[in-house]
Amino acid sequence: MNGTKPTRESEPGRSAAPDPGLYGPASVTWQCHGDPMMWIAGVRALYLQALHPRAVRGVIENSDFKTDAWGRLMRTADFVGTITYGTTDAAERAGARVRKIHRMLTATDPATGERFPVDDPDLLLWIHCAQIDSFLHVLRRSGVPLTPAQADRYVDENRTNARLVGLDPADVPADTAQLAAYFAEVRPLLAAGADAATVDDFLRSPPTHALLVPGRNLLWRPVADLAYGSLPAYAHQLYGRPAPAPRSITRRLRLTGHLLRAIPAGLRWQLPPGHILKAMRRMGPGSRPSPYTLRTSAAILDRPGRA
């Protein structure tokens, strides 16, 4: 006997507690990442990420997004779904795969011609911050009721995401103020060169079969336009394309969010492949994600004076 008291999971007759993964139902991230506006937020992230010349060059040289746009989008959604709702082991394995792929890739600096590694920490940090900023911005602007403290917690929680792709969490913004300071610091490095124009053209009119062009124009183009419109003003200036007034974009985001959230969640959560439904089966019905659940926990999460 070593004197160690058996844990609840190891006691005879008891089954091990379900694995909540890296985030778990108590996190802001778990409650928010099932929202359908995440798709529009993902397109916004692509627009924003393309404004970093080195980052977008890495995508252009190493990606098949022009010929497999839907596949790339689904792989990205699958990764986000796995690390948010998958088991700890599944999330860690997904991160290891991404790090392994990035280690093997290089690209050419469009300004100097030098080769650089795609897993350069500065580039990984830009991709991460552009993604988290876009997710948070679109969710809040479309009506998800996040308090300031919950928004800070969301940014902090997703340093886990940053670790999985190869960053040191200590070097990653931990709240919204640090995230804003990061964008202010990196802003002089941003530009909309030929690669960014390629991404812009692609997102506005992705190649599709001639018979599907009307559907693309009817369904996809409003999504891309809304994602573009939600970018910060400096991004519109860099791209050289105007956008509707911010108030108009906010109204459209709220209306779109209202319409998409009216679609039954069980139907929406079939994409990406069932991560949320699997998590609910693993964790129980009380784990059902909904950003509106956060309303009841706002008083706990908010520090005095922040609510």
Side-chain angles (χ1 to χ4, degrees), residues 3-200:
T4 301
K5 185 178 179 179
T7 64
R8 178 182 178 88
E9 290 80 3
S10 63
E11 292 176 11
R14 291 188 184 274
S15 59
D19 177 10
L22 298 180
Y23 291 93
S27 69
V28 177
T29 300
W30 180 287
Q31 299 300 334
C32 286
H33 278 189
D35 191 88
M37 292 299 286
M38 286 285 289
W39 292 98
I40 292 176
V43 178
R44 182 190 190 268
L46 294 176
Y47 269 119
L48 193 54
Q49 290 164 350
L51 291 176
H52 193 298
R54 276 199 170 202
V56 71
R57 172 47 42 179
V59 173
I60 294 292
E61 289 192 18
N62 295 287
S63 172
D64 57 355
F65 79 93
K66 287 186 177 181
T67 57
D68 186 26
W70 182 249
R72 178 177 174 81
L73 184 63
M74 289 303 299
R75 287 191 292 273
T76 300
D78 182 61
F79 177 74
V80 173
T82 298
I83 64 176
T84 305
Y85 299 109
T87 63
T88 301
D89 181 62
E92 294 290 353
R93 283 188 282 110
R97 286 194 298 270
V98 168
R99 295 193 302 274
K100 180 179 179 181
I101 292 171
H102 285 172
R103 280 197 300 269
M104 298 186 293
L105 302 178
T106 62
T108 304
D109 188 303
T112 66
E114 69 171 321
R115 299 294 292 180
F116 63 88
V118 169
D119 64 353
D120 180 331
D122 289 341
L123 301 185
L124 294 178
L125 183 59
W126 166 252
I127 295 297
H128 170 81
C129 289
Q131 183 181 68
I132 297 306
D133 177 78
S134 292
F135 290 172
L136 185 59
H137 180 89
V138 170
L139 288 171
R140 298 183 83 184
R141 199 170 172 186
S142 66
V144 173
L146 290 177
T147 66
Q150 290 169 334
D152 285 342
R153 182 172 169 180
Y154 176 82
V155 175
D156 186 36
E157 288 173 355
N158 277 279
R159 291 195 291 167
T160 296
N161 178 338
R163 175 184 65 79
L164 289 176
V165 299
L167 287 165
D168 182 346
D171 298 330
V172 179
D175 58 32
T176 53
Q178 292 181 17
L179 188 62
Y182 168 78
F183 278 103
E185 179 182 353
V186 79
R187 168 69 181 85
L189 301 177
L190 305 182
D195 290 339
T198 297
V199 172
D200 184 23

Side-chain angles (χ1 to χ4, degrees), residues 171-233:
D171 298 330
V172 179
D175 58 32
T176 53
Q178 292 181 17
L179 188 62
Y182 168 78
F183 278 103
E185 179 182 353
V186 79
R187 168 69 181 85
L189 301 177
L190 305 182
D195 290 339
T198 297
V199 172
D200 184 23
D201 290 342
F202 173 81
L203 289 175
R204 295 171 70 187
S205 298
T208 188
H209 191 281
L211 295 177
L212 299 179
V213 168
R216 179 196 66 188
N217 295 341
L218 178 65
L219 300 175
W220 173 258
R221 186 159 292 173
V223 169
D225 288 345
L226 190 54
Y228 179 85
S230 69
L231 290 168

